[in-house]
Amino acid sequence: MIIRILFCFLLLPFFLQKAHCQLRAVSESINLEDSSQLAEQKRIQTLISFPNVSRIPYYTDKQALQAIKKYSNAKNEAALYPVLYDYVSKFGIENFFKDNMLLWQLAALEEARGDTLAAIQLYKLVLKHYQEGVELGLVQDQMKKLLLENKDDFVPLKYYYELVEFRKEIDTLRPPQGVYINMGNEINSNAGDYGPALSPDNSLLLFTSKRNTIRQGLKERENEDLMFSRNESGYWMPAEPLTPVNSPYNEGSATISPKGNQLVFTRCGAPDGVGSCDLYISDMQEDGSWGTARNLGKSVNSLYWDSHPSFSHTGDTLFFASDRTGGFGMTDIYFTHKTVGGAWSAPKNMGPVINTRSSEVSPFYHPGHHVFYFSSNGHLLNFGEFDIYKSHRLEHIWGEPKNIGPLVNGQGSEFYFTIDAQSKNLYYARSVENKMANLDLYSFPLPMEAQPLATTQLKGSLRNEETGKPFSNGIVSIIDLDNGVEVAPKFLRSDGSFEFQLINNNNYLIVIQGDEFFRLEEIFFLDGDKEFHRKVASVSSRLKFENMKFDNGKAELKTSMFADLDKIIDFLLDNPDFTLKIEGHTDSDGDPQLNLDLSQRRADAIKSYLVEFGKLDPSRIEAIGYGSAKPIVEEKTEQDKQLNRRVEFNIVRK
């Protein structure tokens, strides 16, 4: 019996843990051997570093602005470009919303010069920081021409899972499924539990909980405390309060230094506080306990809300979120570093690539890679409210953030999260009802889109092998065969293209399905950026295969027929709203009744194969033998007879 292993992969990529822009965005890996591309990449990095962001609130130069206006009116792009480029590169924070149109103007110039990479980066900045009055629709239209990744590229999970459910009775292999796992009663309580943080060796889990209450007079009030749990032999022990860090005030959002000797957390409402919520630090004592916490002071904390700290690899840089004045949006991400004397420096804004006119929170520096994660409701690709994004370090700046995809980011908000050092699991709070009340901590296998090493580009296209035209109605699935990491499937774009970011040096299976073509399946090894351009046969209403030829006077199937029959099986399994009519035909030699019987037996044999090996519903397949009643040519030669001896497949949508 044929074991249809490849088929199961087609619709189960989740279970395995529109002209297309041919240049990569800044956040993506580049071929360092391409010196011209590397030089261009560095030029763009220099532009988007915006050194004035943390130095001055607003940059202006009347003489330069007059020159920009003069050259613009004269449509002298050659003279305009260097002046405008220099001016934009000196932007302060306020320039991004006050002079947003200059960003747009420079983006259009870069595009006109043929520099799509720079144009994309600048158009993104326009959209991230636009204010009322800007011709937003025009910018969005221009972006659509560049066809960047958007939410519509991804297959909706509900639809995909429905297809999987339909096929569960016929799949012979069950790849592992990424499942949200509640961390259990040892960690979660009947109150809100959220804000997880792991020690560098993953042995200690810190999180915030509202399980403890404080009595004030005759009433009890909810109190946020830090809790901890130790991992022993793969199991999390019952959570305990983190004393003496906890106080009558609210504590939460902790981070542990790489050496495990310092703890930074948030405390709100304390009398020694600078603002509403401040960052505090505590040192590990010789006996393994945490010492008295001290406020990081006015050099770091503001008069407002400062929270969500995260250490860098070396422990000398601290990232955090704040709603202090002077930022790009509602809440921005900042960083501070230790000076030579051990004090923490004045915080600097992470800049306009990371921060937007909306809110960025929950910074997280991956413990094993130079990859920066955070949550935002202001970036361009967004599946819900707050989504999680990742950004790779590019020398002295951070690259364009990428959404980590719909397997994690849903219709609600995803923040307060952490990732283990091995990039196996994402830990964060969620509720089944998608409400903020009664949050529980969950773990979830880290999908491909969130993996720190998923930087190698696979891009390709699918076309009709007869006409050369692109197929635009189809689903592309990628399966990691080595690690079982889930990859969110995508639709083919209008030009037949697709694109994924994958982990290099792994074996993958690509499966492309649709109702206009026969499924494509191919295993490949990813060794650097790869282009995957293929042509496949179109599915017309009436099909005839060259290999569907029986021996003279016989109705037994031959092995040469199996590949074509398997294509039919795959198509019918992929498209349950189609039925099949099998038509058997013979030439005019011999007795007409015997020919009729022979053609019927041949059609029946094919139907039996499809039903038995494809597990197809027999009611979807009609087998009819016509004998010699329907010739396609007049029989004058032996070749004419061969043409009339045929089996045709008529595929019909219900």
Side-chain angles (χ1 to χ4, degrees), residues 564-599:
D564 289 335
L565 292 177
D566 288 347
K567 289 182 180 181
I568 297 292
I569 291 174
D570 289 342
F571 182 83
L572 293 175
L573 289 172
D574 292 346
N575 301 279
D577 55 341
F578 280 78
T579 61
L580 175 68
K581 182 178 180 181
I582 305 168
E583 300 179 359
H585 303 271
T586 68
D587 57 35
S588 60
D589 286 351
D591 182 84
Q593 184 59 47
L594 292 178
N595 285 340
L596 184 63
D597 293 341
L598 178 61
S599 64

Short mmCIF file of all heavy atoms in Angstrom, two decimals, residues 564-599:
data_model
loop_
_atom_site.label_atom_id
_atom_site.label_comp_id
_atom_site.label_asym_id
_atom_site.label_seq_id
_atom_site.Cartn_x
_atom_site.Cartn_y
_atom_site.Cartn_z
N ASP A 564 0.78 9.70 -12.48
CA ASP A 564 -0.31 10.55 -12.96
C ASP A 564 -1.56 10.37 -12.12
O ASP A 564 -2.28 11.33 -11.82
CB ASP A 564 -0.62 10.25 -14.43
CG ASP A 564 0.48 10.74 -15.36
OD1 ASP A 564 1.20 11.68 -14.97
OD2 ASP A 564 0.62 10.19 -16.46
N LEU A 565 -1.83 9.14 -11.72
CA LEU A 565 -3.00 8.90 -10.87
C LEU A 565 -2.83 9.56 -9.51
O LEU A 565 -3.79 10.07 -8.93
CB LEU A 565 -3.23 7.40 -10.72
CG LEU A 565 -3.67 6.66 -11.99
CD1 LEU A 565 -3.78 5.17 -11.73
CD2 LEU A 565 -4.99 7.22 -12.52
N ASP A 566 -1.61 9.57 -9.01
CA ASP A 566 -1.36 10.24 -7.73
C ASP A 566 -1.59 11.74 -7.83
O ASP A 566 -2.01 12.39 -6.87
CB ASP A 566 0.07 9.96 -7.25
CG ASP A 566 0.24 8.53 -6.77
OD1 ASP A 566 -0.79 7.85 -6.57
OD2 ASP A 566 1.39 8.08 -6.59
N LYS A 567 -1.30 12.32 -9.00
CA LYS A 567 -1.60 13.74 -9.20
C LYS A 567 -3.10 14.00 -9.07
O LYS A 567 -3.53 14.99 -8.48
CB LYS A 567 -1.11 14.19 -10.58
CG LYS A 567 0.39 14.29 -10.72
CD LYS A 567 0.74 14.81 -12.12
CE LYS A 567 2.25 14.92 -12.30
NZ LYS A 567 2.60 15.44 -13.65
N ILE A 568 -3.87 13.10 -9.65
CA ILE A 568 -5.33 13.23 -9.56
C ILE A 568 -5.77 13.12 -8.10
O ILE A 568 -6.61 13.90 -7.62
CB ILE A 568 -6.02 12.15 -10.41
CG1 ILE A 568 -5.69 12.32 -11.90
CG2 ILE A 568 -7.53 12.18 -10.19
CD1 ILE A 568 -6.27 13.57 -12.51
N ILE A 569 -5.22 12.15 -7.40
CA ILE A 569 -5.56 11.99 -5.98
C ILE A 569 -5.24 13.27 -5.21
O ILE A 569 -6.07 13.79 -4.45
CB ILE A 569 -4.80 10.80 -5.38
CG1 ILE A 569 -5.33 9.48 -5.95
CG2 ILE A 569 -4.92 10.80 -3.85
CD1 ILE A 569 -4.54 8.27 -5.52
N ASP A 570 -4.03 13.78 -5.40
CA ASP A 570 -3.63 14.99 -4.69
C ASP A 570 -4.57 16.15 -4.96
O ASP A 570 -4.96 16.89 -4.05
CB ASP A 570 -2.20 15.38 -5.09
CG ASP A 570 -1.17 14.42 -4.54
OD1 ASP A 570 -1.50 13.67 -3.60
OD2 ASP A 570 -0.03 14.42 -5.05
N PHE A 571 -4.92 16.31 -6.24
CA PHE A 571 -5.78 17.43 -6.59
C PHE A 571 -7.15 17.30 -5.93
O PHE A 571 -7.69 18.27 -5.39
CB PHE A 571 -5.94 17.53 -8.10
CG PHE A 571 -6.78 18.70 -8.54
CD1 PHE A 571 -6.22 19.96 -8.65
CD2 PHE A 571 -8.14 18.54 -8.81
CE1 PHE A 571 -7.01 21.05 -9.03
CE2 PHE A 571 -8.91 19.62 -9.17
CZ PHE A 571 -8.35 20.88 -9.29
N LEU A 572 -7.72 16.11 -5.96
CA LEU A 572 -9.05 15.92 -5.36
C LEU A 572 -9.01 16.06 -3.85
O LEU A 572 -9.96 16.55 -3.24
CB LEU A 572 -9.60 14.55 -5.76
CG LEU A 572 -9.95 14.39 -7.25
CD1 LEU A 572 -10.37 12.95 -7.54
CD2 LEU A 572 -11.05 15.37 -7.66
N LEU A 573 -7.92 15.63 -3.23
CA LEU A 573 -7.79 15.81 -1.79
C LEU A 573 -7.63 17.28 -1.43
O LEU A 573 -8.17 17.76 -0.44
CB LEU A 573 -6.58 15.01 -1.28
CG LEU A 573 -6.73 13.49 -1.27
CD1 LEU A 573 -5.41 12.84 -0.94
CD2 LEU A 573 -7.81 13.06 -0.30
N ASP A 574 -6.87 18.01 -2.24
CA ASP A 574 -6.67 19.44 -1.99
C ASP A 574 -7.93 20.25 -2.24
O ASP A 574 -8.09 21.33 -1.67
CB ASP A 574 -5.56 19.99 -2.90
CG ASP A 574 -4.19 19.44 -2.55
OD1 ASP A 574 -4.07 18.85 -1.46
OD2 ASP A 574 -3.27 19.60 -3.36
N ASN A 575 -8.81 19.73 -3.11
CA ASN A 575 -9.98 20.50 -3.54
C ASN A 575 -11.24 19.66 -3.39
O ASN A 575 -11.74 19.06 -4.36
CB ASN A 575 -9.81 20.95 -5.00
CG ASN A 575 -8.59 21.81 -5.20
OD1 ASN A 575 -8.60 23.01 -4.93
ND2 ASN A 575 -7.50 21.19 -5.66
N PRO A 576 -11.78 19.57 -2.19
CA PRO A 576 -12.93 18.70 -1.92
C PRO A 576 -14.22 19.11 -2.62
O PRO A 576 -15.18 18.34 -2.60
CB PRO A 576 -13.08 18.79 -0.40
CG PRO A 576 -12.42 20.06 -0.01
CD PRO A 576 -11.30 20.25 -0.98
N ASP A 577 -14.25 20.30 -3.23
CA ASP A 577 -15.47 20.71 -3.93
C ASP A 577 -15.44 20.34 -5.40
O ASP A 577 -16.28 20.78 -6.18
CB ASP A 577 -15.69 22.22 -3.77
CG ASP A 577 -14.51 23.04 -4.22
OD1 ASP A 577 -13.40 22.47 -4.31
OD2 ASP A 577 -14.68 24.25 -4.47
N PHE A 578 -14.49 19.49 -5.80
CA PHE A 578 -14.42 19.01 -7.17
C PHE A 578 -14.79 17.53 -7.22
O PHE A 578 -14.53 16.77 -6.28
CB PHE A 578 -13.01 19.17 -7.75
CG PHE A 578 -12.69 20.57 -8.21
CD1 PHE A 578 -12.35 21.56 -7.30
CD2 PHE A 578 -12.73 20.88 -9.56
CE1 PHE A 578 -12.05 22.84 -7.72
CE2 PHE A 578 -12.44 22.16 -9.99
CZ PHE A 578 -12.10 23.15 -9.07
N THR A 579 -15.43 17.10 -8.34
CA THR A 579 -15.70 15.69 -8.59
C THR A 579 -14.96 15.28 -9.86
O THR A 579 -14.47 16.12 -10.63
CB THR A 579 -17.20 15.42 -8.76
OG1 THR A 579 -17.69 16.18 -9.89
CG2 THR A 579 -17.97 15.81 -7.50
N LEU A 580 -14.88 13.98 -10.09
CA LEU A 580 -14.12 13.47 -11.22
C LEU A 580 -14.97 12.49 -12.03
O LEU A 580 -15.65 11.64 -11.46
CB LEU A 580 -12.86 12.75 -10.72
CG LEU A 580 -12.01 12.03 -11.78
CD1 LEU A 580 -11.37 13.04 -12.72
CD2 LEU A 580 -10.96 11.16 -11.10
N LYS A 581 -14.89 12.62 -13.33
CA LYS A 581 -15.51 11.66 -14.24
C LYS A 581 -14.40 11.01 -15.07
O LYS A 581 -13.64 11.68 -15.75
CB LYS A 581 -16.51 12.35 -15.17
CG LYS A 581 -17.24 11.39 -16.10
CD LYS A 581 -18.25 12.14 -16.96
CE LYS A 581 -18.98 11.19 -17.90
NZ LYS A 581 -19.96 11.90 -18.76
N ILE A 582 -14.31 9.67 -14.95
CA ILE A 582 -13.31 8.90 -15.70
C ILE A 582 -13.98 8.32 -16.93
O ILE A 582 -14.99 7.62 -16.83
CB ILE A 582 -12.73 7.77 -14.84
CG1 ILE A 582 -12.17 8.32 -13.52
CG2 ILE A 582 -11.66 7.01 -15.61
CD1 ILE A 582 -11.84 7.24 -12.51
N GLU A 583 -13.43 8.59 -18.10
CA GLU A 583 -14.01 8.12 -19.35
C GLU A 583 -13.02 7.19 -20.05
O GLU A 583 -11.91 7.59 -20.39
CB GLU A 583 -14.35 9.30 -20.26
CG GLU A 583 -15.36 10.27 -19.64
CD GLU A 583 -15.66 11.45 -20.55
OE1 GLU A 583 -15.06 11.49 -21.66
OE2 GLU A 583 -16.46 12.30 -20.16
N GLY A 584 -13.44 5.93 -20.24
CA GLY A 584 -12.62 4.96 -20.94
C GLY A 584 -13.03 4.84 -22.40
O GLY A 584 -14.23 4.78 -22.70
N HIS A 585 -12.04 4.81 -23.31
CA HIS A 585 -12.32 4.75 -24.76
C HIS A 585 -11.42 3.70 -25.41
O HIS A 585 -10.27 3.50 -24.99
CB HIS A 585 -12.08 6.10 -25.43
CG HIS A 585 -12.88 7.23 -24.84
ND1 HIS A 585 -14.13 7.56 -25.29
CD2 HIS A 585 -12.59 8.09 -23.82
CE1 HIS A 585 -14.58 8.59 -24.58
NE2 HIS A 585 -13.67 8.92 -23.68
N THR A 586 -11.94 3.05 -26.44
CA THR A 586 -11.16 2.10 -27.24
C THR A 586 -11.19 2.51 -28.70
O THR A 586 -11.92 3.44 -29.09
CB THR A 586 -11.72 0.67 -27.11
OG1 THR A 586 -13.00 0.61 -27.76
CG2 THR A 586 -11.86 0.26 -25.65
N ASP A 587 -10.39 1.80 -29.51
CA ASP A 587 -10.51 2.03 -30.96
C ASP A 587 -11.65 1.16 -31.50
O ASP A 587 -12.34 0.49 -30.73
CB ASP A 587 -9.19 1.73 -31.67
CG ASP A 587 -8.70 0.31 -31.44
OD1 ASP A 587 -9.56 -0.61 -31.33
OD2 ASP A 587 -7.48 0.10 -31.34
N SER A 588 -11.82 1.14 -32.80
CA SER A 588 -12.98 0.45 -33.40
C SER A 588 -12.70 -1.01 -33.74
O SER A 588 -13.60 -1.71 -34.21
CB SER A 588 -13.44 1.20 -34.66
OG SER A 588 -12.39 1.23 -35.61
N ASP A 589 -11.49 -1.48 -33.47
CA ASP A 589 -11.19 -2.88 -33.77
C ASP A 589 -11.96 -3.81 -32.84
O ASP A 589 -12.11 -3.53 -31.64
CB ASP A 589 -9.68 -3.15 -33.61
CG ASP A 589 -8.87 -2.56 -34.75
OD1 ASP A 589 -9.49 -2.11 -35.74
OD2 ASP A 589 -7.64 -2.53 -34.63
N GLY A 590 -12.41 -4.92 -33.38
CA GLY A 590 -13.05 -5.92 -32.56
C GLY A 590 -14.53 -5.70 -32.37
O GLY A 590 -15.16 -4.82 -32.97
N ASP A 591 -15.09 -6.53 -31.47
CA ASP A 591 -16.53 -6.49 -31.19
C ASP A 591 -16.87 -5.26 -30.38
O ASP A 591 -16.25 -4.99 -29.35
CB ASP A 591 -16.92 -7.75 -30.41
CG ASP A 591 -18.41 -7.80 -30.13
OD1 ASP A 591 -19.16 -8.24 -31.02
OD2 ASP A 591 -18.80 -7.37 -29.02
N PRO A 592 -17.87 -4.47 -30.82
CA PRO A 592 -18.24 -3.24 -30.09
C PRO A 592 -18.61 -3.49 -28.63
O PRO A 592 -18.24 -2.70 -27.75
CB PRO A 592 -19.41 -2.69 -30.90
CG PRO A 592 -19.20 -3.24 -32.27
CD PRO A 592 -18.62 -4.60 -32.08
N GLN A 593 -19.34 -4.60 -28.36
CA GLN A 593 -19.74 -4.86 -26.98
C GLN A 593 -18.54 -5.20 -26.10
O GLN A 593 -18.43 -4.75 -24.96
CB GLN A 593 -20.76 -6.00 -26.94
CG GLN A 593 -21.33 -6.27 -25.54
CD GLN A 593 -22.04 -5.07 -24.95
OE1 GLN A 593 -22.85 -4.43 -25.62
NE2 GLN A 593 -21.73 -4.75 -23.69
N LEU A 594 -17.61 -6.00 -26.68
CA LEU A 594 -16.41 -6.31 -25.92
C LEU A 594 -15.58 -5.06 -25.64
O LEU A 594 -14.99 -4.89 -24.56
CB LEU A 594 -15.58 -7.35 -26.67
CG LEU A 594 -16.18 -8.76 -26.79
CD1 LEU A 594 -15.26 -9.65 -27.62
CD2 LEU A 594 -16.42 -9.36 -25.40
N ASN A 595 -15.52 -4.18 -26.63
CA ASN A 595 -14.81 -2.91 -26.44
C ASN A 595 -15.47 -2.06 -25.34
O ASN A 595 -14.79 -1.41 -24.54
CB ASN A 595 -14.76 -2.12 -27.75
CG ASN A 595 -13.77 -2.70 -28.74
OD1 ASN A 595 -12.86 -3.43 -28.36
ND2 ASN A 595 -13.95 -2.37 -30.02
N LEU A 596 -16.80 -2.09 -25.32
CA LEU A 596 -17.52 -1.33 -24.31
C LEU A 596 -17.21 -1.88 -22.92
O LEU A 596 -16.94 -1.12 -21.97
CB LEU A 596 -19.03 -1.38 -24.59
CG LEU A 596 -19.93 -0.55 -23.66
CD1 LEU A 596 -19.61 0.93 -23.79
CD2 LEU A 596 -21.40 -0.80 -23.98
N ASP A 597 -17.25 -3.21 -22.81
CA ASP A 597 -16.94 -3.83 -21.52
C ASP A 597 -15.49 -3.55 -21.10
O ASP A 597 -15.22 -3.27 -19.92
CB ASP A 597 -17.16 -5.34 -21.61
CG ASP A 597 -18.64 -5.71 -21.80
OD1 ASP A 597 -19.49 -4.85 -21.50
OD2 ASP A 597 -18.92 -6.84 -22.23
N LEU A 598 -14.57 -3.63 -22.06
CA LEU A 598 -13.16 -3.39 -21.75
C LEU A 598 -12.93 -1.96 -21.26
O LEU A 598 -12.21 -1.73 -20.28
CB LEU A 598 -12.30 -3.67 -22.98
CG LEU A 598 -10.79 -3.41 -22.85
CD1 LEU A 598 -10.20 -4.30 -21.76
CD2 LEU A 598 -10.09 -3.62 -24.19
N SER A 599 -13.55 -1.01 -21.95
CA SER A 599 -13.38 0.39 -21.53
C SER A 599 -13.96 0.64 -20.15
O SER A 599 -13.42 1.42 -19.36
CB SER A 599 -14.01 1.33 -22.57
OG SER A 599 -15.41 1.13 -22.65
#
